[in-house]
Amino acid sequence: MKFPSILYRRDRPPLDDTELKDKHWMHIRHHPGSDWNKKDDLPDYTKIKIDEEQSCNWGKLSMAYWVRWDNQGVYKVDYGIVSYSVRSIRKTGKYGFSDHTLSLSHRPEDNNYSHCIFLLNDKLNRTQRRDLRMLVKRNAVVAAKPHEEPSIFEYLIRLFILRLRLWIS
């Protein structure tokens, strides 16, 4: 797969965090060995970083498969991809946390304009951090398992839809 040129920053400024809508998705790659819990077919909840900055790609600006590209331009097909809805990250109030315990911020990088991070806004003890990671995991959707690739038809359709959405907005 060729590196998608749409990911280059090209002097584009970061978007305001209010642009992150509840209906959007954040994509995170997880290493297939230690990060991936084969029994649950999801990443191990301990690998979701909330105490430090968890890196992710914003689905409005990229496709889930593109999160496999690292900063050196290497495509890591052996990594799994998990998507998290912005709503499930922000709306933690109904689970005993404040609604702003976790937030998201658009922090583009030179080779990844869609780059965002999770930010922990409240001071939590160890048990609360574990519970929050498990809550985030519970609302996760597997976008691609390790070594899983889209068909060329599916890839082109998703690319067309992404470019159309960007053109409209």
Side-chain angles (χ1 to χ4, degrees), residues 28-32 36 67-68 77-82 144-146:
I28 300 175
R29 71 174 175 251
H30 291 278
H31 193 272
W36 203 266
V67 76
R68 288 180 172 161
V77 71
D78 59 328
Y79 278 61
I81 305 165
V82 178
K145 295 178 182 176

Side-chain angles (χ1 to χ4, degrees), residues 11-77:
D11 298 324
R12 293 181 284 180
L15 296 175
D16 190 65
D17 295 342
T18 58
E19 295 276 331
L20 288 155
K21 306 294 184 205
D22 285 352
K23 64 182 180 181
H24 293 161
W25 290 87
M26 294 292 156
H27 310 295
I28 300 175
R29 71 174 175 251
H30 291 278
H31 193 272
S34 59
D35 287 10
W36 203 266
N37 186 341
K38 291 184 192 258
K39 181 179 69 177
D40 292 346
D41 214 16
L42 281 168
D44 186 349
Y45 78 93
T46 61
K47 303 303 179 182
I48 302 169
K49 303 175 199 164
I50 59 166
D51 340 41
E52 52 198 86
E53 296 177 350
Q54 172 67 61
S55 178
C56 55
N57 278 15
W58 186 0
K60 174 184 176 177
L61 302 171
S62 72
M63 291 178 23
Y65 291 98
W66 294 352
V67 76
R68 288 180 172 161
W69 290 99
D70 68 9
N71 288 336
Q72 290 73 38
V74 176
Y75 186 73
K76 299 184 175 196
V77 71

Side-chain angles (χ1 to χ4, degrees), residues 22-144:
D22 285 352
K23 64 182 180 181
H24 293 161
W25 290 87
M26 294 292 156
H27 310 295
I28 300 175
R29 71 174 175 251
H30 291 278
H31 193 272
S34 59
D35 287 10
W36 203 266
N37 186 341
K38 291 184 192 258
K39 181 179 69 177
D40 292 346
D41 214 16
L42 281 168
D44 186 349
Y45 78 93
T46 61
K47 303 303 179 182
I48 302 169
K49 303 175 199 164
I50 59 166
D51 340 41
E52 52 198 86
E53 296 177 350
Q54 172 67 61
S55 178
C56 55
N57 278 15
W58 186 0
K60 174 184 176 177
L61 302 171
S62 72
M63 291 178 23
Y65 291 98
W66 294 352
V67 76
R68 288 180 172 161
W69 290 99
D70 68 9
N71 288 336
Q72 290 73 38
V74 176
Y75 186 73
K76 299 184 175 196
V77 71
D78 59 328
Y79 278 61
I81 305 165
V82 178
S83 298
Y84 303 88
S85 74
V86 170
R87 178 179 176 76
S88 70
I89 295 164
R90 286 185 175 157
K91 308 288 184 191
T92 54
K94 63 182 177 181
Y95 300 103
F97 297 97
S98 77
D99 264 347
H100 302 289
T101 299
L102 275 179
S103 62
L104 294 159
S105 182
H106 184 225
R107 304 270 176 93
E109 297 175 339
D110 289 341
N111 290 338
N112 188 359
Y113 184 66
S114 68
H115 183 259
C116 293
I117 57 169
F118 287 21
L119 296 171
L120 182 62
N121 299 317
D122 296 341
K123 188 163 176 67
L124 303 177
N125 64 34
R126 185 177 177 174
T127 304
Q128 290 171 318
R129 288 192 311 269
R130 183 200 67 218
D131 291 346
L132 187 58
R133 280 194 301 267
M134 290 183 80
L135 173 65
V136 170
K137 176 187 172 182
R138 190 176 320 132
N139 293 304
V141 174
V142 176

